[in-house]
Amino acid sequence: MTGLTAPLASVGRSTLQFLASIGRVSLYVVQILRHMVTPPFYPEELLKAVLRIGYFSLPVVGLTALFTGAALALQIFAGGSRFNAEAVVPSIVAIGMVRELGPVLVGLMIAGRVGASVAAEIGTMKVTEQIDALLTLSTHPMKYLVVPRVLAAVLTVPILVAIGDSIGILGGYLVGVTTLGFNAAAYLQNTVDFLEQWDVLSGLIKGGVFGFVVATMGCYHGMSSARGAQGVGRATINAVVSSSALILASNYLLTSIFFSA
Amino acid sequence: MIALEEISKTFGTNQVLRGVELEIATGRSMVIIGGSGTGKSVLLKCILGLVTPDAGRITIDGQDITTGDRDVMLSRFGMLFQGGALFDSMPVWQNVAFRLLSGRLRRSRDDARAVALAKLRRVGLGADVADRYPAELSGGMQKRVGLARAIAADPEIIFFDEPTTGLDPIMAGVINTLIREIVTELGVTAVTITHDMSSVRAIADDVAMLHAGKIRWTGPIGAMDDAGDPYLEQFVHGRAEGPIEALR
């Protein structure tokens, strides 16, 4: 009997643990929102976080977007040529970048770069008692460490998405004009003509949501880090994996809300 | 006076504190001794409100620590952590002046830096250290910076968590002397937890021994050697044989 019920018990246990972690993260989000609107505020920490999360992510975001836009142009051209639709390259590259690839790729890059570093930094602070030290110095870690990082991510990731979109379109343009034989002016005209304001705006909103997800997961896993180097390592992995999965899931959800007829 | 009444705390199935009763008189230096894992740090964290006891009551000058403004309560404390717990993202002077750079004790940046430099000087560190980062300092220097941070806002109560752990005997002696001087000079109430007997003899006015989750013995330092308690005797003399079981 035990042999039969053991797998079921294991599934049950995992399900309960999963549900419990959803509950913990939800409560954590409520706490973040509460601390976001109640003083004291730490503008200096916010500024530092904006620099670290936003400004220093520019190179990785730029490179990713440039090559993705370029590859997208090649793919669309190759696919479109099967039914004589090569002319759609500029518009598809533009729409694909601003609606989907821009926000998702920037989100995933930020998850790898920022989510990991936030989780490792806060996790190390926890295991070296720096979080306890903050508390004894009358400073709430949620207000001092978490809120500035989350706010900075929500504010800067949409800007990174906008920059990533532009560079991605530029990547497509460069390939289109230099390799695929498009006329430069016609390529740009096509890009502008077919792009709508909502295409861009929806991508930026996605960026804000992904920024919130990445910073929240980084802080949550850092704060929940177990002792020792292994604990911090696990927290970092959990932060990257969970924020990447949540970015992809929330991207589907947001797309279905924004674009379902 | 800090009074602990029937403090109990359990983590999972491990009951760490089993009804701790202790009184720490104002202006005295109390050293709590006990083996590793006996709950000394947990006890300290309970007083600071970092860990919530399952049962019991902690009062400071008659006021329950769970009532009243927590920030006001914490502003009366200074704490030296075992590993220093210095913020490695900021230079030494900002670590020392942390409490003075924001919150209710906020001062101008120049004032805060001046206080930090004065406190660093008090613990034997020059102004050249102020702009360095904690990772650039030796273990002994980090302890000194931690000590400077603990006294930066002129607290009434200072906690020292294993102040000599990881230091060589000479540096441990220096830190012990420094702690004793500062405690006497500031007239603060001090609570130190340690298993280093040289620290006990250098720092303590009173001693309490924590064993099996309870205070096994407490009294003035002068009475410690003649207390006649076999547990205390075994610990003080560091004997492997005795009523306290040691894993071999």
mmCIF file of all heavy atoms in Angstrom, chain B residues 51-97:
data_model
loop_
_atom_site.group_PDB
_atom_site.id
_atom_site.type_symbol
_atom_site.label_atom_id
_atom_site.label_comp_id
_atom_site.label_asym_id
_atom_site.label_seq_id
_atom_site.Cartn_x
_atom_site.Cartn_y
_atom_site.Cartn_z
ATOM 1 N N VAL B 51 14.600 38.120 16.083
ATOM 2 C CA VAL B 51 13.937 36.811 16.189
ATOM 3 C C VAL B 51 12.823 36.975 17.222
ATOM 4 O O VAL B 51 13.040 37.587 18.271
ATOM 5 C CB VAL B 51 14.946 35.729 16.651
ATOM 6 C CG1 VAL B 51 14.227 34.429 17.003
ATOM 7 C CG2 VAL B 51 16.004 35.482 15.592
ATOM 8 N N THR B 52 11.637 36.470 16.891
ATOM 9 C CA THR B 52 10.513 36.593 17.820
ATOM 10 C C THR B 52 10.424 35.339 18.680
ATOM 11 O O THR B 52 10.304 34.235 18.151
ATOM 12 C CB THR B 52 9.194 36.769 17.037
ATOM 13 O OG1 THR B 52 9.383 37.803 16.087
ATOM 14 C CG2 THR B 52 8.041 37.133 17.958
ATOM 15 N N PRO B 53 10.505 35.481 19.996
ATOM 16 C CA PRO B 53 10.406 34.291 20.857
ATOM 17 C C PRO B 53 9.011 33.661 20.764
ATOM 18 O O PRO B 53 8.034 34.363 20.493
ATOM 19 C CB PRO B 53 10.644 34.850 22.269
ATOM 20 C CG PRO B 53 11.059 36.250 22.118
ATOM 21 C CD PRO B 53 10.658 36.720 20.764
ATOM 22 N N ASP B 54 8.955 32.349 20.966
ATOM 23 C CA ASP B 54 7.652 31.659 20.959
ATOM 24 C C ASP B 54 6.881 31.983 22.234
ATOM 25 O O ASP B 54 5.651 32.013 22.246
ATOM 26 C CB ASP B 54 7.857 30.133 20.874
ATOM 27 C CG ASP B 54 8.586 29.747 19.597
ATOM 28 O OD1 ASP B 54 8.425 30.477 18.604
ATOM 29 O OD2 ASP B 54 9.320 28.739 19.617
ATOM 30 N N ALA B 55 7.611 32.185 23.320
ATOM 31 C CA ALA B 55 6.960 32.492 24.601
ATOM 32 C C ALA B 55 7.906 33.352 25.422
ATOM 33 O O ALA B 55 9.113 33.387 25.180
ATOM 34 C CB ALA B 55 6.654 31.194 25.344
ATOM 35 N N GLY B 56 7.345 34.044 26.392
ATOM 36 C CA GLY B 56 8.156 34.859 27.286
ATOM 37 C C GLY B 56 8.057 36.339 26.981
ATOM 38 O O GLY B 56 7.375 36.747 26.021
ATOM 39 N N ARG B 57 8.736 37.134 27.780
ATOM 40 C CA ARG B 57 8.627 38.591 27.675
ATOM 41 C C ARG B 57 10.002 39.210 27.880
ATOM 42 O O ARG B 57 10.769 38.762 28.732
ATOM 43 C CB ARG B 57 7.648 39.039 28.767
ATOM 44 C CG ARG B 57 7.272 40.481 28.776
ATOM 45 C CD ARG B 57 6.057 40.690 29.681
ATOM 46 N NE ARG B 57 5.749 42.093 29.814
ATOM 47 C CZ ARG B 57 6.097 42.842 30.852
ATOM 48 N NH1 ARG B 57 6.747 42.282 31.870
ATOM 49 N NH2 ARG B 57 5.792 44.125 30.907
ATOM 50 N N ILE B 58 10.316 40.210 27.074
ATOM 51 C CA ILE B 58 11.594 40.934 27.240
ATOM 52 C C ILE B 58 11.264 42.400 27.490
ATOM 53 O O ILE B 58 10.498 43.019 26.728
ATOM 54 C CB ILE B 58 12.476 40.802 25.975
ATOM 55 C CG1 ILE B 58 12.806 39.327 25.717
ATOM 56 C CG2 ILE B 58 13.766 41.612 26.138
ATOM 57 C CD1 ILE B 58 13.449 39.048 24.375
ATOM 58 N N THR B 59 11.800 42.950 28.575
ATOM 59 C CA THR B 59 11.559 44.366 28.852
ATOM 60 C C THR B 59 12.887 45.100 28.980
ATOM 61 O O THR B 59 13.888 44.533 29.415
ATOM 62 C CB THR B 59 10.748 44.553 30.155
ATOM 63 O OG1 THR B 59 11.476 43.952 31.231
ATOM 64 C CG2 THR B 59 9.367 43.946 30.063
ATOM 65 N N ILE B 60 12.851 46.372 28.581
ATOM 66 C CA ILE B 60 14.003 47.252 28.793
ATOM 67 C C ILE B 60 13.501 48.424 29.624
ATOM 68 O O ILE B 60 12.573 49.132 29.208
ATOM 69 C CB ILE B 60 14.593 47.730 27.452
ATOM 70 C CG1 ILE B 60 15.109 46.514 26.670
ATOM 71 C CG2 ILE B 60 15.724 48.735 27.689
ATOM 72 C CD1 ILE B 60 15.565 46.803 25.278
ATOM 73 N N ASP B 61 14.060 48.594 30.782
ATOM 74 C CA ASP B 61 13.593 49.595 31.749
ATOM 75 C C ASP B 61 12.087 49.479 31.966
ATOM 76 O O ASP B 61 11.359 50.482 32.000
ATOM 77 C CB ASP B 61 13.962 51.018 31.278
ATOM 78 C CG ASP B 61 15.465 51.186 31.172
ATOM 79 O OD1 ASP B 61 16.200 50.502 31.922
ATOM 80 O OD2 ASP B 61 15.919 51.987 30.339
ATOM 81 N N GLY B 62 11.618 48.262 32.050
ATOM 82 C CA GLY B 62 10.209 47.999 32.364
ATOM 83 C C GLY B 62 9.288 47.999 31.162
ATOM 84 O O GLY B 62 8.127 47.598 31.255
ATOM 85 N N GLN B 63 9.777 48.451 29.988
ATOM 86 C CA GLN B 63 8.895 48.504 28.817
ATOM 87 C C GLN B 63 9.100 47.300 27.911
ATOM 88 O O GLN B 63 10.240 46.985 27.536
ATOM 89 C CB GLN B 63 9.153 49.792 28.022
ATOM 90 C CG GLN B 63 8.035 50.044 27.023
ATOM 91 C CD GLN B 63 8.362 51.147 26.028
ATOM 92 O OE1 GLN B 63 9.341 51.865 26.168
ATOM 93 N NE2 GLN B 63 7.529 51.237 25.010
ATOM 94 N N ASP B 64 7.984 46.652 27.599
ATOM 95 C CA ASP B 64 8.024 45.485 26.715
ATOM 96 C C ASP B 64 8.578 45.915 25.347
ATOM 97 O O ASP B 64 8.122 46.921 24.795
ATOM 98 C CB ASP B 64 6.590 44.937 26.551
ATOM 99 C CG ASP B 64 6.597 43.544 25.943
ATOM 100 O OD1 ASP B 64 7.320 43.340 24.949
ATOM 101 O OD2 ASP B 64 5.889 42.670 26.474
ATOM 102 N N ILE B 65 9.543 45.150 24.811
ATOM 103 C CA ILE B 65 10.177 45.581 23.551
ATOM 104 C C ILE B 65 9.236 45.467 22.352
ATOM 105 O O ILE B 65 9.478 46.056 21.309
ATOM 106 C CB ILE B 65 11.475 44.783 23.241
ATOM 107 C CG1 ILE B 65 11.196 43.286 23.124
ATOM 108 C CG2 ILE B 65 12.559 45.072 24.240
ATOM 109 C CD1 ILE B 65 12.258 42.570 22.324
ATOM 110 N N THR B 66 8.147 44.711 22.514
ATOM 111 C CA THR B 66 7.214 44.562 21.390
ATOM 112 C C THR B 66 6.227 45.731 21.313
ATOM 113 O O THR B 66 5.490 45.857 20.341
ATOM 114 C CB THR B 66 6.421 43.242 21.487
ATOM 115 O OG1 THR B 66 5.788 43.196 22.764
ATOM 116 C CG2 THR B 66 7.327 42.045 21.318
ATOM 117 N N THR B 67 6.201 46.561 22.369
ATOM 118 C CA THR B 67 5.312 47.728 22.326
ATOM 119 C C THR B 67 6.161 48.964 22.041
ATOM 120 O O THR B 67 7.372 48.948 22.213
ATOM 121 C CB THR B 67 4.575 47.916 23.664
ATOM 122 O OG1 THR B 67 5.557 48.138 24.678
ATOM 123 C CG2 THR B 67 3.731 46.714 24.011
ATOM 124 N N GLY B 68 5.539 50.018 21.614
ATOM 125 C CA GLY B 68 6.251 51.269 21.362
ATOM 126 C C GLY B 68 6.927 51.284 20.008
ATOM 127 O O GLY B 68 6.865 50.314 19.251
ATOM 128 N N ASP B 69 7.574 52.402 19.706
ATOM 129 C CA ASP B 69 8.206 52.611 18.405
ATOM 130 C C ASP B 69 9.489 51.782 18.315
ATOM 131 O O ASP B 69 10.414 51.958 19.104
ATOM 132 C CB ASP B 69 8.514 54.108 18.231
ATOM 133 C CG ASP B 69 8.959 54.459 16.810
ATOM 134 O OD1 ASP B 69 9.601 53.593 16.167
ATOM 135 O OD2 ASP B 69 8.667 55.573 16.360
ATOM 136 N N ARG B 70 9.523 50.908 17.306
ATOM 137 C CA ARG B 70 10.671 50.010 17.153
ATOM 138 C C ARG B 70 11.959 50.785 16.819
ATOM 139 O O ARG B 70 13.033 50.472 17.321
ATOM 140 C CB ARG B 70 10.339 49.021 16.028
ATOM 141 C CG ARG B 70 11.243 47.850 15.968
ATOM 142 C CD ARG B 70 10.776 46.900 14.881
ATOM 143 N NE ARG B 70 11.934 46.320 14.249
ATOM 144 C CZ ARG B 70 12.680 45.359 14.795
ATOM 145 N NH1 ARG B 70 12.365 44.873 15.972
ATOM 146 N NH2 ARG B 70 13.729 44.887 14.171
ATOM 147 N N ASP B 71 11.809 51.831 15.985
ATOM 148 C CA ASP B 71 12.984 52.627 15.609
ATOM 149 C C ASP B 71 13.593 53.320 16.820
ATOM 150 O O ASP B 71 14.809 53.399 16.958
ATOM 151 C CB ASP B 71 12.604 53.679 14.564
ATOM 152 C CG ASP B 71 12.610 53.099 13.167
ATOM 153 O OD1 ASP B 71 12.937 51.897 13.052
ATOM 154 O OD2 ASP B 71 12.289 53.822 12.223
ATOM 155 N N VAL B 72 12.722 53.835 17.683
ATOM 156 C CA VAL B 72 13.202 54.508 18.898
ATOM 157 C C VAL B 72 13.932 53.494 19.771
ATOM 158 O O VAL B 72 15.018 53.770 20.305
ATOM 159 C CB VAL B 72 12.015 55.142 19.679
ATOM 160 C CG1 VAL B 72 12.503 55.715 21.010
ATOM 161 C CG2 VAL B 72 11.355 56.220 18.845
ATOM 162 N N MET B 73 13.348 52.295 19.881
ATOM 163 C CA MET B 73 13.963 51.239 20.683
ATOM 164 C C MET B 73 15.341 50.876 20.121
ATOM 165 O O MET B 73 16.334 50.849 20.849
ATOM 166 C CB MET B 73 13.027 50.015 20.687
ATOM 167 C CG MET B 73 13.299 48.957 21.739
ATOM 168 S SD MET B 73 14.513 47.708 21.286
ATOM 169 C CE MET B 73 13.614 46.699 20.118
ATOM 170 N N LEU B 74 15.393 50.674 18.794
ATOM 171 C CA LEU B 74 16.661 50.256 18.181
ATOM 172 C C LEU B 74 17.721 51.356 18.204
ATOM 173 O O LEU B 74 18.915 51.070 18.207
ATOM 174 C CB LEU B 74 16.413 49.808 16.734
ATOM 175 C CG LEU B 74 15.803 48.421 16.569
ATOM 176 C CD1 LEU B 74 15.398 48.177 15.124
ATOM 177 C CD2 LEU B 74 16.775 47.329 17.021
ATOM 178 N N SER B 75 17.276 52.609 18.235
ATOM 179 C CA SER B 75 18.258 53.704 18.246
ATOM 180 C C SER B 75 19.023 53.742 19.576
ATOM 181 O O SER B 75 20.028 54.433 19.691
ATOM 182 C CB SER B 75 17.581 55.042 17.971
ATOM 183 O OG SER B 75 16.702 55.349 19.019
ATOM 184 N N ARG B 76 18.553 52.992 20.567
ATOM 185 C CA ARG B 76 19.271 52.924 21.845
ATOM 186 C C ARG B 76 20.380 51.870 21.811
ATOM 187 O O ARG B 76 21.165 51.770 22.733
ATOM 188 C CB ARG B 76 18.286 52.591 22.984
ATOM 189 C CG ARG B 76 17.194 53.633 23.157
ATOM 190 C CD ARG B 76 16.138 53.194 24.129
ATOM 191 N NE ARG B 76 16.657 53.042 25.490
ATOM 192 C CZ ARG B 76 15.956 52.559 26.513
ATOM 193 N NH1 ARG B 76 14.713 52.182 26.332
ATOM 194 N NH2 ARG B 76 16.503 52.450 27.702
ATOM 195 N N PHE B 77 20.368 51.052 20.740
ATOM 196 C CA PHE B 77 21.307 49.921 20.666
ATOM 197 C C PHE B 77 22.465 50.157 19.705
ATOM 198 O O PHE B 77 22.318 50.841 18.695
ATOM 199 C CB PHE B 77 20.586 48.672 20.161
ATOM 200 C CG PHE B 77 19.690 48.026 21.158
ATOM 201 C CD1 PHE B 77 18.333 48.310 21.185
ATOM 202 C CD2 PHE B 77 20.191 47.123 22.079
ATOM 203 C CE1 PHE B 77 17.493 47.710 22.110
ATOM 204 C CE2 PHE B 77 19.364 46.520 22.999
ATOM 205 C CZ PHE B 77 18.010 46.814 23.013
ATOM 206 N N GLY B 78 23.584 49.545 20.015
ATOM 207 C CA GLY B 78 24.670 49.411 19.052
ATOM 208 C C GLY B 78 25.018 47.935 19.031
ATOM 209 O O GLY B 78 24.834 47.246 20.035
ATOM 210 N N MET B 79 25.477 47.451 17.893
ATOM 211 C CA MET B 79 25.801 46.016 17.858
ATOM 212 C C MET B 79 27.050 45.748 17.024
ATOM 213 O O MET B 79 27.207 46.252 15.913
ATOM 214 C CB MET B 79 24.612 45.239 17.275
ATOM 215 C CG MET B 79 24.928 43.807 16.958
ATOM 216 S SD MET B 79 23.821 42.660 17.750
ATOM 217 C CE MET B 79 24.550 41.092 17.307
ATOM 218 N N LEU B 80 27.932 44.938 17.604
ATOM 219 C CA LEU B 80 29.100 44.458 16.869
ATOM 220 C C LEU B 80 28.825 43.006 16.485
ATOM 221 O O LEU B 80 28.658 42.151 17.359
ATOM 222 C CB LEU B 80 30.361 44.551 17.741
ATOM 223 C CG LEU B 80 31.625 43.896 17.167
ATOM 224 C CD1 LEU B 80 32.045 44.551 15.865
ATOM 225 C CD2 LEU B 80 32.772 43.964 18.166
ATOM 226 N N PHE B 81 28.743 42.773 15.177
ATOM 227 C CA PHE B 81 28.438 41.415 14.709
ATOM 228 C C PHE B 81 29.696 40.561 14.644
ATOM 229 O O PHE B 81 30.805 41.071 14.488
ATOM 230 C CB PHE B 81 27.785 41.472 13.325
ATOM 231 C CG PHE B 81 26.354 41.911 13.364
ATOM 232 C CD1 PHE B 81 26.014 43.255 13.376
ATOM 233 C CD2 PHE B 81 25.334 40.973 13.423
ATOM 234 C CE1 PHE B 81 24.704 43.659 13.425
ATOM 235 C CE2 PHE B 81 24.010 41.370 13.477
ATOM 236 C CZ PHE B 81 23.696 42.721 13.480
ATOM 237 N N GLN B 82 29.462 39.245 14.730
ATOM 238 C CA GLN B 82 30.559 38.273 14.741
ATOM 239 C C GLN B 82 31.512 38.457 13.552
ATOM 240 O O GLN B 82 32.708 38.533 13.718
ATOM 241 C CB GLN B 82 29.970 36.868 14.725
ATOM 242 C CG GLN B 82 30.993 35.785 14.944
ATOM 243 C CD GLN B 82 30.325 34.416 15.056
ATOM 244 O OE1 GLN B 82 29.124 34.303 15.248
ATOM 245 N NE2 GLN B 82 31.104 33.379 14.953
ATOM 246 N N GLY B 83 30.927 38.540 12.357
ATOM 247 C CA GLY B 83 31.774 38.687 11.166
ATOM 248 C C GLY B 83 31.953 40.142 10.754
ATOM 249 O O GLY B 83 32.389 40.416 9.651
ATOM 250 N N GLY B 84 31.567 41.049 11.602
ATOM 251 C CA GLY B 84 31.649 42.476 11.282
ATOM 252 C C GLY B 84 30.368 42.989 10.651
ATOM 253 O O GLY B 84 29.849 44.019 11.023
ATOM 254 N N ALA B 85 29.843 42.203 9.669
ATOM 255 C CA ALA B 85 28.616 42.575 8.934
ATOM 256 C C ALA B 85 28.701 43.995 8.387
ATOM 257 O O ALA B 85 27.720 44.738 8.398
ATOM 258 C CB ALA B 85 27.372 42.393 9.805
ATOM 259 N N LEU B 86 29.880 44.363 7.904
ATOM 260 C CA LEU B 86 30.021 45.693 7.302
ATOM 261 C C LEU B 86 29.418 45.655 5.898
ATOM 262 O O LEU B 86 29.471 44.623 5.231
ATOM 263 C CB LEU B 86 31.501 46.089 7.227
ATOM 264 C CG LEU B 86 32.232 46.143 8.568
ATOM 265 C CD1 LEU B 86 33.717 46.411 8.362
ATOM 266 C CD2 LEU B 86 31.629 47.202 9.481
ATOM 267 N N PHE B 87 28.857 46.792 5.477
ATOM 268 C CA PHE B 87 28.240 46.842 4.143
ATOM 269 C C PHE B 87 29.352 46.996 3.112
ATOM 270 O O PHE B 87 30.004 48.044 3.055
ATOM 271 C CB PHE B 87 27.252 48.001 4.057
ATOM 272 C CG PHE B 87 26.215 47.957 5.136
ATOM 273 C CD1 PHE B 87 26.042 49.014 6.001
ATOM 274 C CD2 PHE B 87 25.435 46.820 5.325
ATOM 275 C CE1 PHE B 87 25.105 48.961 7.013
ATOM 276 C CE2 PHE B 87 24.491 46.751 6.341
ATOM 277 C CZ PHE B 87 24.330 47.827 7.186
ATOM 278 N N ASP B 88 29.574 45.943 2.323
ATOM 279 C CA ASP B 88 30.744 45.987 1.454
ATOM 280 C C ASP B 88 30.563 46.863 0.222
ATOM 281 O O ASP B 88 31.498 47.065 -0.537
ATOM 282 C CB ASP B 88 31.234 44.591 1.072
ATOM 283 C CG ASP B 88 30.113 43.617 0.858
ATOM 284 O OD1 ASP B 88 29.020 44.059 0.442
ATOM 285 O OD2 ASP B 88 30.295 42.434 1.107
ATOM 286 N N SER B 89 29.338 47.413 0.040
ATOM 287 C CA SER B 89 29.122 48.294 -1.116
ATOM 288 C C SER B 89 29.462 49.749 -0.791
ATOM 289 O O SER B 89 29.386 50.599 -1.665
ATOM 290 C CB SER B 89 27.665 48.202 -1.560
ATOM 291 O OG SER B 89 26.827 48.601 -0.499
ATOM 292 N N MET B 90 29.811 50.031 0.472
ATOM 293 C CA MET B 90 30.103 51.435 0.804
ATOM 294 C C MET B 90 31.409 51.559 1.576
ATOM 295 O O MET B 90 31.835 50.609 2.247
ATOM 296 C CB MET B 90 28.931 52.053 1.572
ATOM 297 C CG MET B 90 28.511 51.320 2.823
ATOM 298 S SD MET B 90 27.138 52.129 3.672
ATOM 299 C CE MET B 90 25.757 51.686 2.641
ATOM 300 N N PRO B 91 32.064 52.737 1.466
ATOM 301 C CA PRO B 91 33.343 52.898 2.155
ATOM 302 C C PRO B 91 33.183 52.874 3.678
ATOM 303 O O PRO B 91 32.076 53.013 4.202
ATOM 304 C CB PRO B 91 33.841 54.264 1.682
ATOM 305 C CG PRO B 91 32.654 54.967 1.148
ATOM 306 C CD PRO B 91 31.704 53.928 0.676
ATOM 307 N N VAL B 92 34.328 52.721 4.328
ATOM 308 C CA VAL B 92 34.339 52.550 5.786
ATOM 309 C C VAL B 92 33.606 53.670 6.513
ATOM 310 O O VAL B 92 32.779 53.414 7.398
ATOM 311 C CB VAL B 92 35.807 52.437 6.268
ATOM 312 C CG1 VAL B 92 35.918 52.685 7.755
ATOM 313 C CG2 VAL B 92 36.380 51.073 5.920
ATOM 314 N N TRP B 93 33.851 54.932 6.129
ATOM 315 C CA TRP B 93 33.246 56.017 6.908
ATOM 316 C C TRP B 93 31.726 55.989 6.802
ATOM 317 O O TRP B 93 31.023 56.290 7.776
ATOM 318 C CB TRP B 93 33.822 57.386 6.507
ATOM 319 C CG TRP B 93 33.236 58.015 5.272
ATOM 320 C CD1 TRP B 93 33.703 57.941 4.010
ATOM 321 C CD2 TRP B 93 32.059 58.834 5.207
ATOM 322 N NE1 TRP B 93 32.899 58.641 3.144
ATOM 323 C CE2 TRP B 93 31.878 59.209 3.846
ATOM 324 C CE3 TRP B 93 31.135 59.281 6.135
ATOM 325 C CZ2 TRP B 93 30.821 60.008 3.418
ATOM 326 C CZ3 TRP B 93 30.076 60.076 5.699
ATOM 327 C CH2 TRP B 93 29.919 60.435 4.357
ATOM 328 N N GLN B 94 31.206 55.581 5.623
ATOM 329 C CA GLN B 94 29.742 55.510 5.484
ATOM 330 C C GLN B 94 29.174 54.352 6.292
ATOM 331 O O GLN B 94 28.046 54.429 6.801
ATOM 332 C CB GLN B 94 29.352 55.365 4.020
ATOM 333 C CG GLN B 94 29.512 56.649 3.245
ATOM 334 C CD GLN B 94 29.069 56.544 1.802
ATOM 335 O OE1 GLN B 94 28.297 55.671 1.434
ATOM 336 N NE2 GLN B 94 29.574 57.431 0.976
ATOM 337 N N ASN B 95 29.950 53.276 6.430
ATOM 338 C CA ASN B 95 29.537 52.182 7.303
ATOM 339 C C ASN B 95 29.389 52.682 8.731
ATOM 340 O O ASN B 95 28.393 52.420 9.397
ATOM 341 C CB ASN B 95 30.584 51.065 7.274
ATOM 342 C CG ASN B 95 30.247 49.979 6.282
ATOM 343 O OD1 ASN B 95 29.412 49.134 6.558
ATOM 344 N ND2 ASN B 95 30.864 50.017 5.120
ATOM 345 N N VAL B 96 30.423 53.411 9.195
ATOM 346 C CA VAL B 96 30.415 53.887 10.581
ATOM 347 C C VAL B 96 29.285 54.884 10.799
ATOM 348 O O VAL B 96 28.568 54.827 11.802
ATOM 349 C CB VAL B 96 31.786 54.523 10.927
ATOM 350 C CG1 VAL B 96 31.764 55.130 12.318
ATOM 351 C CG2 VAL B 96 32.897 53.484 10.818
ATOM 352 N N ALA B 97 29.108 55.776 9.826
ATOM 353 C CA ALA B 97 28.117 56.849 10.001
ATOM 354 C C ALA B 97 26.742 56.468 9.468
ATOM 355 O O ALA B 97 25.863 57.325 9.381
ATOM 356 C CB ALA B 97 28.619 58.095 9.290
#
